[in-house]
Amino acid sequence: MRKFRFRKETNNAAIIMKIDKNKQLVVLDEEHEGISPDELKDELPERQPRYPFLYSYKYQHDDGRVSYPLCFIFSSPVGEEQKAKKR
């Protein structure tokens, strides 16, 4: 995540992570460069949750400054049950 956050590119980008149920780890699923929010929405699986994914985009402030906010987003399809690990 640190590499993604401090990347040098100035385009919109996203990384999508998922749970490896066998290893019980969060793993990288996909990386996208130059992707719009609408395109990103179309890339998400309809029946599988993603935990979380990160989206960085170019934001132009009213005073001319440019920043690149980092959004953490959780996606869970309707009806997808979240299962907690029993200890």
Side-chain angles (χ1 to χ4, degrees), residues 42-60:
D42 292 340
E43 289 294 320
L44 294 176
E46 291 183 19
R47 304 211 189 288
Q48 296 175 336
R50 291 296 178 253
Y51 311 83
F53 66 87
L54 305 174
Y55 185 65
S56 177
Y57 63 96
K58 184 177 181 178
Y59 179 75
Q60 182 88 32

Side-chain angles (χ1 to χ4, degrees), residues 14-26:
I15 58 174
I16 301 173
M17 295 175 270
K18 67 180 180 179
I19 298 288
D20 180 329
K21 291 181 182 180
N22 295 329
K23 297 179 183 177
Q24 294 191 357
L25 294 172
V26 177

Side-chain angles (χ1 to χ4, degrees), residues 7 10 13 23 29 33 39-42 44-45 47 52 56 65 73 75 87:
R7 65 195 189 89
T10 59
K23 297 179 183 177
D29 185 35
E33 291 286 338
E39 292 168 329
L40 183 58
K41 180 186 73 143
D42 292 340
L44 294 176
R47 304 211 189 288
S56 177
R65 292 176 298 122
I73 303 168
S75 170
R87 292 183 176 223

Side-chain angles (χ1 to χ4, degrees), residues 55-76:
Y55 185 65
S56 177
Y57 63 96
K58 184 177 181 178
Y59 179 75
Q60 182 88 32
H61 296 268
D62 292 339
D63 62 3
R65 292 176 298 122
V66 175
S67 63
Y68 298 90
L70 183 64
C71 303
F72 290 82
I73 303 168
F74 173 83
S75 170
S76 181

